[in-house]
Amino acid sequence: QDETHTVGLYYGVRKDRNDPFCMIYVVNSARFSMSARIIEMMDAGHHVLLVADECHHYGSRENAKIFDFQTSPSFDDALYYAMGLSATPRCAHFEDVLVPALGEEIYWYTLHQAIHEETVSPFVTFRVAVGFTGKEAKQYGDLSTLLHRTHAKLLRAYPSLAADAAAFFPRVQALAEELGTPESLPRQYLNLVRTRRNLCLSATNRLRCAASIIRRQRPGSRILIFCERIDQAEHVQAWLREQLPFQTGLYHSGLTPDRRREVLRDFRDGVIRVLVTCKALDEGVDVPDALVGIVISSTLTERQRIQRLGRILRRAEGKNQAILYYLYVNKMTDEMTYLGPEDEGRP
């Protein structure tokens, strides 16, 4: 093989140094090394092409260090080319970080195009409402009453918080960090919001509903179950394992790489048919055999809804239609956790 066309890897324990034609970086490692490498290449008169996959992650304060080369006196724009890839590029620092580093958006491939061109499987989505148990409903009511009272106290103590509804939570969080005590009014408010949110996420009937949906699927259908946190995913998998012996597996970032590979292999081979996961499977993992997705709990972000839909849309032999179920607690705070019409313009 021509040495000028070798491919290197740069991450954790592996950092290739043989000056390959193409170097593939893991983002966490690229933060502290790739910028210097780009400047070295430009000093040597080489052109540089930077391809940033899932580029919406690169807008954070830490990941934006990847683009530090732009401030170097040696940076030569004539030698620099870049391309960003993302189904959901509009992150918090899209305009001030991604656009200067990667350029303006130049192409959109919509979900409608992908379906029409048979790039992805046809799909249907269902919103499924579940109710609280009596005990949970009382807890929710008590928390809501206390939350409303605390909200009123917060606005009386900090009237400026009422000026901008969109900035309310970030400003409350900033206040809580500034005051730094767990007894502060902003911290009490945030703790109540978190507690009520966790009650919604862990509603008992979410599990019962998921089990019922699984039993209604065709035998052998591969099913992904999405949770919000690792501890919830572990709880859901343990509960389902009792309902569906020998059918479920668990995948999350807390498992070893070998264990994650083993679980995905078992899922693809049909050794297990139900895979419980959380954010670790939202991006970059190919599971084309998944026919059904059940979102037991989710954030309200458009990005996560789209990424999770994408896990079940990959085409596979014998896969005629994918199905995604969004579970939500009826008339509660997470009611809008579903894929709405506003999301249909992006794949």
Side-chain angles (χ1 to χ4, degrees):
Q1 186 179 12
D2 187 341
E3 291 184 0
T4 62
H5 288 78
T6 56
V7 176
L9 293 174
Y10 199 101
Y11 66 91
V13 297
R14 177 170 175 177
K15 294 179 172 61
D16 292 343
R17 304 281 187 178
N18 60 344
D19 195 23
F21 176 77
C22 175
M23 181 72 86
I24 301 174
Y25 286 83
V26 171
V27 175
N28 289 354
S29 298
R31 295 172 187 163
F32 309 106
S33 58
M34 195 177 73
S35 186
R37 177 59 185 148
I38 287 176
I39 293 302
E40 288 176 8
M41 294 176 68
M42 288 184 173
D43 284 340
H46 297 304
H47 288 79
V48 175
L49 170 61
L50 172 62
V51 179
D53 192 24
E54 304 290 359
C55 64
H56 51 271
H57 291 302
Y58 293 36
S60 70
R61 179 181 300 177
E62 288 299 307
N63 288 348
K65 293 176 181 178
I66 291 170
F67 306 125
D68 283 352
F69 58 82
Q70 292 179 293
T71 61
S72 169
S74 298
F75 177 68
D76 187 346
D77 191 59
L79 298 177
Y80 178 64
Y81 302 86
M83 177 171 63
L85 305 172
S86 175
T88 52
R90 295 277 174 168
C91 61
H93 294 281
F94 176 79
E95 294 291 347
D96 59 313
V97 174
L98 296 193
V99 170
L102 303 174
E104 299 282 352
E105 289 180 315
I106 59 172
Y107 182 74
W108 299 266
Y109 189 62
T110 69
L111 186 55
H112 294 297
Q113 286 176 276
I115 294 172
H116 178 71
E117 297 173 7
E118 299 184 350
T119 304
V120 299
S121 298
F123 72 97
V124 292
T125 62
F126 295 98
R127 296 178 61 214
V128 183
V130 301
F132 278 141
T133 63
K135 181 180 179 181
E136 290 168 344
K138 184 179 185 308
Q139 288 178 308
Y140 186 90
D142 292 344
L143 283 168
S144 296
T145 299
L146 187 54
L147 185 59
H148 292 155
R149 290 174 180 170
T150 307
H151 182 266
K153 291 179 182 178
L154 194 60
L155 291 182
R156 286 196 296 270
Y158 305 95
S160 62
L161 290 173
D164 186 354
F168 177 80
F169 275 101
R171 292 178 66 186
V172 173
Q173 289 172 329
L175 273 172
E177 292 173 7
E178 181 182 333
L179 295 171
T181 60
E183 297 82 13
S184 71
L185 197 55
R187 180 58 62 190
Q188 289 180 44
Y189 179 81
L190 293 175
N191 288 341
L192 284 169
V193 169
R194 185 178 301 109
T195 301
R196 190 173 74 165
R197 171 70 173 161
N198 288 341
L199 180 62
C200 286
L201 292 178
S202 60
T204 303
N205 286 332
R206 290 182 186 270
L207 294 176
R208 294 172 179 167
C209 181
S212 176
I213 290 172
I214 291 169
R215 293 190 183 99
R216 292 169 183 268
Q217 305 307 312
R218 295 200 315 262
S221 297
R222 311 293 167 74
I223 300 166
L224 293 176
I225 296 184
F226 295 99
C227 301
E228 181 57 21
R229 301 185 308 267
I230 289 177
D231 60 340
Q232 185 192 29
E234 291 177 337
H235 173 69
V236 168
Q237 197 266 343
W239 190 87
L240 286 176
R241 191 169 53 212
E242 296 180 1
Q243 309 297 312
L244 307 163
F246 311 111
Q247 296 185 49
T248 67
L250 181 66
Y251 183 99
H252 60 66
S253 60
L255 302 175
T256 65
D258 285 344
R259 179 56 185 157
R260 292 201 299 269
R261 283 191 289 270
E262 180 183 353
V263 170
L264 285 181
R265 184 174 61 248
D266 287 347
F267 185 69
R268 288 167 179 151
D269 292 345
V271 176
I272 57 176
R273 64 182 291 248
V274 180
L275 186 58
V276 182
T277 184
C278 44
K279 296 177 182 178
L281 206 64
D282 282 358
E283 300 175 3
V285 179
D286 192 18
V287 281
D289 294 320
L291 180 68
V292 178
I294 303 173
V295 180
I296 282 190
S297 64
S298 177
T299 66
L300 298 179
T301 64
E302 175 187 355
R303 172 171 297 118
Q304 191 176 77
R305 296 197 299 267
I306 293 174
Q307 296 288 359
R308 291 182 169 181
L309 177 62
R311 294 311 96 200
I312 66 166
L313 291 188
R314 307 297 176 90
R315 296 193 69 84
E317 185 176 351
K319 184 175 180 179
N320 298 318
Q321 184 180 66
I323 307 171
L324 190 63
Y325 297 89
Y326 285 94
L327 310 189
Y328 68 96
V329 179
N330 192 27
K331 298 181 181 179
M332 302 300 169
T333 55
D334 69 340
E335 185 172 343
M336 294 306 294
T337 307
Y338 69 100
L339 185 73
E342 71 276 10
D343 300 324
E344 294 180 355
R346 304 275 181 179

